[in-house]
Every structure is written in structure tokens, then in C-alpha cells.
Amino acid sequence: MASYGSALLHIFGIGKEICLISFKRSSKGLKLEFRVPWCRHRVYSAAFLPPPFRIIPAKLPILHAARRAFETATVLLTFVNLSSYAEGGVLFSSLDENLVVTADIPGQNNTDGPRIRTARVGEDHLIIKWALNSTLSGLGIDKIYMTVNIRLCFAPISQVERGWRKTNDDLHKDKTCSIAIASQKYSTDGNVTDWIIRKNVPGATYFVRAYVTDVDGMQLAYGQTTDNLKTSNLIVIEPITGRHVSIDIASAIFSIASVGALVGFLIGEFRKMK
Amino acid sequence: MAPQGENRTDADLTGEPGSSLHGVTGHEVFPYINMDTVPEEATDLKGRKFSLPVDSEHKAKKLKIYSFARPHMLTFHLSWISFMTCFFSTFAAPPLLPIIRDNLGLTKTNIAHAGVASVSGSIISRLLMGTICDLFGPRYGCAILIMATAPAVFCMSIVSTVDGFILVRFFISFALATFVSCQFWMSSMFNGQIVGLANGLAAGWGNAGGGITQLVMPLVYDLIAKNIGADNFTAWRLAFFLPGCMHIVMGLIVLAIGQDLPDGNYSSLKRSGDKVADTFFKVLQYGVTNYRTWIFTITYGYCLGVELTVDNIIAQYFYDRFDINLTIAGTIGSTVGLMNIISRPAGGLISDMAARRFGMRGRLWALWTLQTIGGVLCIGLGLLGSLGPSVVVLVIFSIFMEAACGATFGIIPFISRRSLGVISGAVGAGGNVGSILTQVLFFSNPSYSMEKGIMLMGVMAIACTAVLFLVYFPQWGGMLCPPSKATEEDYYGGEWNEAERAKNLDRNSLKFAENSRSERGRSRQEQTSDSAPSTRV
């Protein structure tokens, strides 16, 4: 975030000219430029991609006003340029459900068929087993599978009227699976994870999904504990309220203190007036 | 001519309705003020020396911002800090909403209802505060309100249901009436020629509380959640003890060292003559039947209203749309409120500068221009899809909108002399109504995305600002129409009927009319300099 940071500082005029870093497009790719306050007319630049780095001090005698305008334009362009580099992510609909994932809650009877189970935050564990679908084993599909990301995902019922949990086919923008459970190396035999439900998990209805990613972090396949409509085999998680008796008591004491002090003051002044 | 002393006592100490927000800009006139400077060694009624030059009413003629000297500058700082505290606590929930909505299971509709609630409580309280200030003094009004709303702020720490959250935000919003006490207090302490600047600074810096809270609350939350290690659903509750304690501290300070008037408190000053110069219902009638009141209620609704709405939604908008962390979203959101520090006084200054050249028509055009540009930028904000340009547009948009708020209060004192308090209270409340309308129409419907809501808000702001074209002052003209042959005396004198004129009750209005001739603008000033003065004295 350094480029955003110093560019932002420059725009808001705070700590002017601490160091202006800007990106410029050139035929060689991305160019990084540094301007430092003790050397106003010197621009350090580095051809950025790929390594090796080179820092070339360049003397650029520029008129002060023109430099100002140039810097402002560069900064604004920085944002525009950088934003255009945001890539679209992998589309979920292009992924295959190659993994088989199950999530069990120890201490609860596991019966077949669509059911909704309840778990409590901070107390219950989820035992998550994932493995490659047995019909696909030995076919070499998993040669490039590197990591498995297990995530807790919101079921549709918990996404109603809550745009911040919306499902989007573009996995870069998808917010369904925002709670991370574990990240493990992929292995052909699969793995078992024991996860105690963290206290900051909100109360909602969930299912578990595991994404397989390659060496660059791009999703290749997935597996989930529910069906395609995301209606079966869901887990309702009961949250903490966040309230404590001590907070309640402190609240009450402070409130009474406030009103009491006010009344006391007024009575005191009323008496003095008399 | 009625004796000066009698006028002064009437208006200042016996709670004349219509004087609640007198002197909101530098052009507000106090016909009974003797503009001669009292020498620097002036002392108040108890013999204490003043540290600033004062006029004959002991109102300060200079503003020294770095000074905390009693009573004037201390009052200035007390009133803007207490107003800022109230804005801080009213808008303390929005930057933490991403945590709160998970804790309480809020839906978009719930959040919108809470946003509406957070600006609706102050409608009633602003309307009442003017009367309270008149009767009991701004010191009591401010302190009582702040300390009485502190329990509501502490209750925010213990809410666990949706309804509880909405109710608590409603009760906290009563605190926003400190705007009225702040402006009233400034008018009691500062001479008419600088009261505009004093009011604009105090209102602007107070409004900045809405921005400061978006910076500070996420930081406090982070501190508690990470450094102290509390669960995040507990940490946000603990964070609310900060605004609550600020309420208590400011309330006590105001009670302990504040004072209503330069000479002391209402209760300790002798009141000579207890007659109320006007009746509440007459003042209400002339305020309500003046159509300009309602036009400005609508336009202020889409000026302050837009600002309040943005205070409520912007951190969430950036957090959700651009995937940045809570602290940075809060920082970006805070710039809206923080721009108030300069933009609101700047708006008042722009209005005054336009008036010097073009009179009231200049003020109207300045207001329309500022607010329409703000609306256009709001549309732009809704249409932009990338983070950097959004931030830039947000900052510029907030500057224009807040300048429009400052410019509005450059015009309000001239709508009526008799009903100034009622009109100011109504317009102030109208700001909140505009915010409620906007949040209900555009931000509570789950099928509207937030960016669409912001864009539509800009469109509505432009449309509602257009009603300014309907404002017409017979003596000064309107935006499109030149003035008629009517005079200021006709306009302000017209608020009194024959019986009242016979009793000479309209003397203050007529003096105000004479002094408001500056609103004719430079070209007409030269023409009227040799016209006959008012025959009524």
C-alpha cells in the first residue's frame, strides 16, 4: 500500500513531499519513480519488471509549476492506472466439484439426509474431512493442485437483504465464503481438520467449502458439504452476544453518575440562588 | 425613538421569542447595540476585566481563536467542543457497523431504519431547544441535553436486538440540538459584526465531530480488540464508553465554568422588566406562513441532509464496495466530516462576499451554485467504480455541500425578523428531515445498490435546490426577477398588524430593516444613499 499511502499523503497535503512514488507505463513495462524532498530536481526511476532492479538517477530540470502539475496528474493517473490493473477472478461456474467435503460436529448424531445442525461458538468443533472424489483418483487431475483453502460460507438464507455477503460468480468479488478455517497442502489421500469455531464468527447458517488452488493461488476446483442449491446439510452457528455482566454494570453506573451529577449540580445552583 | 436600554433588556434577558438565533451571520442587526467601542479596560458588572474589546453590551468585537480567556473565548471553545461531542456520539456507530451488523444480525433494512432514527430525534429537540435557551439560558440547555443523553450512549454497549439498536440511536440523536444552543450562545457573546464568523466556525468545527468519529472509533475498536484482546463483539461495546464519558466530562465542564452572558448567568443577573415582547403563537404564525421558510427547509434538507446521510453510509460503502479494511474505510469516511472545519465557514464567507457586490440575489445564486455543484459531484460519486477517483470526488463533494450549509445560514436571518428563532429551528430540523427522506427512499430498499442510492441522492439534491428559483424578496428581488418598488420596511413591518404597530411593538423590525439595506447590493446602495430615511422611528 506504499504507493497509495504516499500518494494519498501528497493529495491531502499532509506531510507534503515526504516522498512521491508514482507508476508510469513505459514500453518496458511498469516504471517506478521516486521523488525525494531534499533533491527537488532529481527523479530516481527503476525499470520495474521483471528483476533485476536498476536505479537510475536522472537529472530533470523542470520548472516548479510544471512539476507540480505533472505530479498531481501523475498521482491521479496512478489511481486510474492501478485500478485498471484489477484482474477479474476465476469464475465459480467454471470450477468442478472434484473434492468430497464433510463436516461433522463431534457429540452430535450423524444421520443421513438433509438436516440442519446447530453448533455453538467457542465450544463446538467442526471436524472437516476433504478428499479427492474417488472416481477421479489416478487420472492425474490433481497434478497441479497445491493448496486447499477451507472456508466457512454463508447459506442463502443468511444472505437475504445482506449485500455484504452476496454471491458473485467472479471469485475476486464473491463474498459468500469470507470466513477462513484452514489452509493446507494438497495431498491425494485428503486430510482431516479439527477447527474450534472462533468467537468472532457471526450467528448465521453456513456450509463448508474447500477450494483447491494452484501454485499462484488461482482456484482450480472445489468441494462443499451442501448441494448445488445450498439448502441441504447446513450448520446453524450460535454466536456470542458480546455482552458481559461487567459491561452491563459499568453502563448502569456511568448512566446513573451522569444523571446524578446533573441533578446534583442543578440542586446546588438552585440552593445558591436562593 | 424608544429608549435604547429598554430595548436591550427586552430582547436579551426576557426571552423574546424570535430572538433565539439572532445574529447568525455578520449582517444580523442588533438595532439596540451601540457600536461604539468601550475602551480595553472595560469591566463587567462585577468589576472583572475583559480580555477582548467589547461593545456596550459587553459582547466581544474580536475573535482570538487561541485564547481561552473568560468569558467570550472560553464560551466559544466550550460550545463548539460540546457540539462536536454530540456529533461524535451520534455518528459513532456507522464506522463500526460492519462489526455491529454481524453481532446483531442486522439486514440492510434494519441498518437504514437505524440511520433514519439517528437523525430523527433531533427534529423535535432542535425545535424545543430555542425556547429552552430563551427561557433558561444556553448553558443549562447545552449541559442538560448532553448529560441527559449520556445514558443513551452507554445503553449502546448493552443492546442485543435490532429494535434496541434502533431505539438507542434514536435517543442519542436528541443530542444534536446542541447546534441551537451553540449558535444562541455565540450570538449572546459576540457582536453582530463578527457573530457570523463565530457561528460559522463553531458550527463547522462542531459538525466536524461527525468526521472525527469515523477516524477515532475504528482506532479505539482496534486498540481494544487487538491490544487488550477482547472478542470483537465485546470490543465495539467497550469502544462506546469513550463517547459516553466525553458527554459526562463536557457536561460537567460547561456547568462548572460556562456562563450564559458576558456579565454572568441568567439566574444571577437582575432582570428588569419581565414583559415578554411577543407571543409564541404570533411568532409561530409568521414563521409558518412565510413560504420562504419551507423553501429553505427543503433546500437545507438536501444540503445538511445529504451530509448527515453520507456520514451514516460512507464507511460501509467503501468497506463493502472496494474491499478495504475498516480503519481505512473509516478514515475515508471521516474526510467528509472533517472538511467542515474550513468549508462551512468558507460558505458563509462566500455568501457574505456575494452579498457585498450583488446583495441578496448574490447570496441566492451563491447558494444555488454551491449546492448544485455538490449534487453533480454526488452523482459522480455514485457512478465511479474505482477507489482513488471516488475518494477525490468525495472530498470535493463534501467541500461544496458543507459550503452550501454555511451559505444557507447567510440568508436565514433575513427571511423574518420577528420569527427568526422559529425559522432557524425549522430549517435546522429540515436538514434532518431531508436526511431521513433520503435514507428511507434510497438506502433502505435492498434492491438498490448503494452506488445507485448515492447517484439518486445527487439527482434529488439538484432537483430540490432548484426550488430556490421561487424565492422572491420584494425589496431585493429573486434569482431571476429584479426587485420591485417595495422597501425593507414594508417587508419587515408587514409582519406586524395595525394594532401592534400602534403600540410601537415593531420598532426592532424597523431598525433591522434599515440596517438590512446592505442586502441591496453595491449598485443599488449608491442609489439609495440619498433616499429619504424611514419616517417611522
Side-chain angles (χ1 to χ4, degrees):
Chain A
M1 287 295 252
S3 64
Y4 274 98
S6 52
L8 259 175
L9 285 171
H10 192 83
I11 281 186
F12 291 134
I14 313 166
K16 267 164 106 68
E17 310 255 30
I18 288 178
C19 169
L20 183 65
I21 305 173
S22 51
F23 287 100
K24 268 169 71 166
R25 238 197 246 271
S26 77
S27 50
K28 294 192 194 133
L30 215 51
K31 238 172 87 150
L32 192 67
E33 281 190 351
F34 297 92
R35 284 170 209 279
V36 292
W38 52 86
C39 215
R40 280 181 173 260
H41 298 295
R42 197 161 295 191
V43 176
Y44 293 88
S45 65
F48 194 64
L49 116 13
F53 280 93
R54 302 189 301 282
I55 297 198
I56 307 159
K59 269 204 188 123
L60 288 173
I62 307 174
L63 285 172
H64 194 62
R67 194 178 125 262
R68 277 264 184 271
F70 174 68
E71 276 174 4
T72 321
T74 320
V75 163
L76 289 173
L77 273 173
T78 307
F79 289 124
V80 175
N81 274 342
L82 280 174
S83 59
S84 67
Y85 285 132
E87 308 143 30
V90 177
L91 293 181
F92 182 70
S93 44
S94 67
L95 298 179
D96 294 318
E97 193 172 355
N98 289 348
L99 292 185
V100 173
V101 181
T102 56
D104 296 319
I105 306 172
Q108 290 193 20
N109 233 342
N110 298 329
T111 53
D112 279 38
R115 64 198 189 281
I116 293 189
R117 296 165 289 169
T118 320
R120 260 203 291 266
V121 143
E123 293 173 12
D124 286 320
H125 296 239
L126 287 183
I127 309 226
I128 301 154
K129 292 196 195 112
W130 61 265
L132 187 65
N133 195 335
S134 46
T135 56
L136 301 170
S137 63
L139 293 176
I141 286 181
D142 52 353
K143 274 217 186 88
I144 45 170
Y145 289 2
M146 281 295 290
T147 338
V148 175
N149 287 326
I150 310 175
R151 304 187 80 89
L152 195 63
C153 310
F154 292 104
I157 193 174
S158 288
Q159 291 175 304
V160 168
E161 282 200 16
R162 293 180 175 96
W164 54 90
R165 296 177 183 168
K166 219 163 104 163
T167 302
N168 192 320
D169 204 29
D170 181 342
L171 284 176
H172 254 242
K173 300 183 187 162
D174 181 42
K175 306 239 171 111
T176 329
C177 300
S178 47
I179 301 171
I181 295 179
S183 191
Q184 309 163 328
K185 232 174 119 36
Y186 175 81
S187 88
T188 355
D189 308 317
N191 210 334
V192 179
T193 314
D194 186 329
W195 183 65
I196 183 164
I197 305 178
R198 284 196 303 262
K199 284 200 173 163
N200 61 1
V201 171
T205 312
Y206 298 90
F207 61 93
V208 178
R209 183 182 285 171
Y211 288 107
V212 187
T213 60
D214 65 6
V215 76
D216 298 317
M218 297 263 287
Q219 293 90 346
L220 299 168
Y222 74 98
Q224 60 190 26
T225 57
T226 181
D227 58 12
N228 277 338
L229 291 172
K230 298 184 271 187
T231 47
S232 69
N233 203 8
L234 302 172
I235 306 168
V236 171
I237 293 190
E238 283 168 16
I240 54 168
T241 59
R243 287 177 65 176
H244 290 276
V245 178
S246 52
I247 297 184
D248 294 351
I249 296 177
S251 236
I253 293 179
F254 276 81
S255 307
I256 295 173
S258 170
V259 177
L262 177 68
V263 170
F265 235 104
L266 291 177
I267 293 180
E269 293 218 357
F270 191 62
R271 284 228 185 98
K272 244 196 301 176
M273 218 173 62
K274 284 203 163 167
Chain B
M1 203 154 163
Q4 291 257 341
E6 192 189 318
N7 288 353
R8 197 166 58 203
T9 319
D10 280 343
D12 255 344
L13 300 182
T14 56
E16 173 193 311
S19 66
S20 311
L21 272 129
H22 57 200
V24 180
T25 69
H27 285 261
E28 172 60 36
V29 201
F30 297 87
Y32 40 85
I33 283 184
N34 184 347
M35 289 300 200
D36 300 336
T37 315
V38 177
E40 288 270 351
E41 310 83 56
T43 57
D44 66 3
L45 296 178
K46 294 217 179 95
R48 291 177 297 222
K49 213 164 84 91
F50 286 127
S51 59
L52 292 170
V54 294
D55 63 17
S56 55
E57 272 192 302
H58 295 168
K59 297 190 185 183
K61 295 185 69 163
K62 257 200 218 165
L63 196 71
K64 271 193 208 159
I65 298 190
Y66 296 112
S67 156
F68 275 80
R70 309 179 74 141
H72 307 100
M73 289 321 302
L74 184 65
T75 303
F76 173 77
H77 290 293
L78 280 180
S79 73
W80 82 257
I81 294 178
S82 47
F83 184 34
M84 193 267 293
T85 307
C86 294
F87 244 90
F88 188 99
S89 56
T90 308
F91 293 104
L96 296 179
L97 260 177
I99 314 290
I100 302 178
R101 69 190 178 194
D102 279 341
N103 192 181
L104 304 177
L106 302 175
T107 63
K108 180 171 179 171
T109 321
N110 297 144
I111 295 176
H113 288 167
V116 166
S118 75
V119 291
S120 39
S122 66
I123 294 179
I124 313 158
S125 57
R126 279 185 180 193
L127 292 171
L128 290 175
M129 187 56 129
T131 325
I132 294 178
C133 281
D134 275 327
L135 298 175
F136 302 116
R139 172 176 158 259
Y140 278 156
C142 177
I144 292 176
L145 187 65
I146 282 194
M147 293 183 85
T149 42
V153 182
F154 289 115
C155 278
M156 185 64 103
S157 305
I158 58 176
V159 290
S160 52
T161 60
V162 173
D163 293 329
F165 181 66
I166 295 177
L167 263 178
V168 169
R169 286 206 75 188
F170 174 72
F171 283 116
I172 297 180
S173 75
F174 276 72
L176 287 182
T178 29
F179 167 71
V180 177
S181 77
C182 172
Q183 305 281 282
F184 183 97
W185 216 351
M186 294 289 96
S187 315
S188 312
M189 286 282 174
F190 291 93
N191 176 281
Q193 288 181 325
I194 54 156
V195 77
L197 184 62
N199 272 327
L201 284 172
W205 292 1
N207 271 27
I212 295 174
T213 190
Q214 310 240 10
L215 270 176
V216 170
M217 289 304 278
L219 286 176
V220 173
Y221 165 79
D222 264 346
L223 190 76
I224 299 176
K226 293 186 185 135
N227 295 34
I228 302 183
D231 302 321
N232 62 348
F233 289 168
T234 307
W236 77 262
R237 294 167 186 278
L238 290 173
F240 265 88
F241 277 83
L242 174 67
C245 291
M246 280 167 72
H247 269 237
I248 300 183
V249 166
M250 276 320 297
L252 288 175
I253 292 179
V254 164
L255 277 177
I257 62 177
Q259 80 188 46
D260 294 312
L261 292 169
D263 293 318
N265 289 317
Y266 275 23
S267 52
S268 60
L269 288 173
K270 251 194 296 192
R271 301 175 183 220
S272 51
D274 215 64
K275 50 180 173 13
V276 174
D278 210 337
T279 62
F280 176 66
F281 286 108
K282 276 281 179 189
V283 162
L284 191 65
Q285 175 197 337
Y286 284 108
V288 161
T289 52
N290 192 333
Y291 74 94
R292 299 170 193 84
T293 310
W294 305 111
I295 292 184
F296 282 99
T297 307
I298 295 174
T299 54
Y300 196 60
Y302 274 90
C303 155
L304 183 75
V306 167
E307 188 198 326
L308 293 179
T309 307
V310 167
D311 271 340
N312 262 331
I313 58 142
I314 202 72
Q316 246 196 314
Y317 171 69
F318 275 93
Y319 180 86
D320 288 334
R321 189 155 189 218
F322 299 111
D323 258 332
I324 48 186
N325 82 37
L326 199 62
T327 315
I328 297 187
T331 311
I332 296 176
S334 71
T335 56
V336 175
L338 289 173
M339 282 298 134
N340 261 308
I341 296 176
I342 29 165
S343 48
R344 190 158 174 149
L349 266 176
I350 291 175
S351 182
D352 286 347
M353 285 183 341
R356 250 176 266 159
R357 183 77 208 278
F358 300 108
M360 177 56 71
R361 297 182 81 182
R363 286 190 192 271
L364 289 168
W365 274 102
L367 174 58
W368 180 84
T369 313
L370 287 169
Q371 202 160 323
T372 306
I373 296 179
V376 167
L377 288 167
C378 191
I379 296 178
L381 181 65
L383 293 175
L384 281 172
S386 38
L387 178 61
S390 278
V391 173
V392 174
V393 169
L394 178 71
V395 169
I396 304 176
F397 151 76
S398 60
I399 292 177
F400 276 95
M401 257 328 170
E402 287 149 17
C405 289
T408 309
F409 272 85
I411 302 178
I412 301 295
F414 296 101
I415 299 179
S416 162
R417 175 65 183 86
R418 192 172 184 183
S419 313
L420 179 57
V422 166
I423 293 178
S424 306
V427 170
N432 292 58
V433 171
S435 179
I436 292 176
L437 251 181
T438 314
Q439 291 185 73
V440 164
L441 283 175
F442 304 131
F443 294 101
S444 57
N445 193 337
S447 57
Y448 278 151
S449 64
M450 262 208 185
E451 48 267 29
K452 190 166 178 201
I454 293 179
M455 193 202 77
L456 289 174
M457 178 167 75
V459 171
M460 189 137 181
I462 296 180
C464 289
T465 314
V467 293
L468 274 176
F469 284 99
L470 298 174
V471 173
Y472 181 72
F473 288 93
Q475 71 278 28
W476 297 317
M479 283 174 82
L480 299 172
C481 311
S484 68
K485 295 264 188 294
T487 65
E488 288 81 0
E489 282 77 11
D490 297 334
Y491 180 76
Y492 293 110
E495 292 180 327
W496 304 84
N497 62 30
E498 283 302 324
E500 289 158 340
R501 277 190 229 172
K503 285 188 245 167
N504 219 9
L505 291 176
D506 57 343
R507 52 187 183 266
N508 289 341
S509 288
L510 292 175
K511 285 179 197 167
F512 177 71
E514 198 177 314
N515 287 296
S516 67
R517 262 195 251 284
S518 58
E519 293 305 305
R520 290 193 178 196
R522 200 181 297 166
S523 47
R524 282 185 72 206
Q525 291 277 35
E526 284 138 20
Q527 290 171 18
T528 59
S529 59
D530 10 68
S531 63
S534 163
T535 51
R536 307 246 5 234
V537 283

